[in-house]
Amino acid sequence: MRIRRAHESPQHPQGKRALGQLLARREFLVLFEHQFADLVAVRIKDGKLRVLCGEHELTRRNLCRNVRRNFANGCHGMILLVPTGSDEAARALLRREFARSVWARIGVITHEKCQHLLAQELACTKATMSVAVAPASRTQISHPENQNQ
């Protein structure tokens, strides 16, 4: 799977990978570098197909162009991963450049929040796995034949 394009900073593929993991944990099938988007995430829920495009925007230089292209290519919504501290500026730009019908379908998440959610979900997964394993490994199972002893 190709996750990196030419001329990208080392942080760019790392951010795409983190965003992809976050969406995959929400039952999306994630395709990297698809239809010119950093990632495309697809899922069927309640009988409806949902297509999200993800973009890791380290600067706002290409943000508007990417939004126009992704919606023109048929995505239902977008999620933008932005550096911590630049989320409000990104939201303000989206509100200034696009109609509410567009910017209301775009989620903005910071690197810090993305990493926090992934760590939280990993901790929950580990806790769930240890609970599922604990009864079998720590508890003796009594059999009816042993109860008379």
Side-chain angles (χ1 to χ4, degrees):
M1 167 179 16
R2 191 175 136 198
I3 193 167
R4 187 170 182 183
R5 284 188 209 152
H7 310 296
E8 286 183 340
S9 70
Q11 299 97 335
H12 202 262
Q14 292 169 351
K16 286 190 282 191
R17 191 173 294 112
L19 188 56
Q21 288 174 337
L22 198 62
L23 290 168
R25 290 179 186 220
R26 285 158 178 78
E27 300 178 359
F28 281 89
L29 170 68
V30 178
L31 306 167
F32 292 95
E33 298 300 333
H34 186 69
Q35 294 292 324
F36 301 104
D38 285 343
L39 65 87
V40 174
V42 181
R43 118 177 134 178
I44 297 175
K45 188 171 182 181
D46 301 325
K48 293 185 178 181
L49 176 67
R50 180 92 173 130
V51 179
L52 293 179
C53 285
E55 294 289 349
H56 183 202
E57 299 293 350
L58 293 169
T59 67
R60 292 188 305 265
R61 186 180 73 215
N62 298 320
L63 191 146
C64 293
R65 183 187 69 192
N66 290 344
V67 167
R68 285 184 189 94
R69 181 200 59 232
N70 290 337
F71 280 111
N73 284 342
C75 77
H76 299 120
M78 284 186 63
I79 184 162
L80 299 175
L81 179 65
V82 298
T84 301
S86 66
D87 51 326
E88 288 304 317
R91 285 186 188 98
L93 177 63
L94 292 169
R95 286 187 180 114
R96 190 172 56 247
E97 294 292 323
F98 298 99
R100 180 180 175 83
S101 61
V102 174
W103 63 255
R105 296 186 290 152
I106 303 171
V108 179
I109 186 171
T110 63
H111 291 143
E112 183 180 354
K113 181 67 174 180
C114 184
Q115 292 302 323
H116 175 74
L117 289 172
L118 285 171
Q120 223 175 15
E121 290 176 5
L122 182 61
C124 287
T125 302
K126 285 182 180 177
T128 302
M129 288 174 65
S130 67
V131 167
V133 171
S137 62
R138 296 184 189 153
T139 306
Q140 288 186 348
I141 300 171
S142 62
H143 296 281
E145 60 195 50
N146 295 338
Q147 290 178 351
N148 296 333
Q149 296 177 359

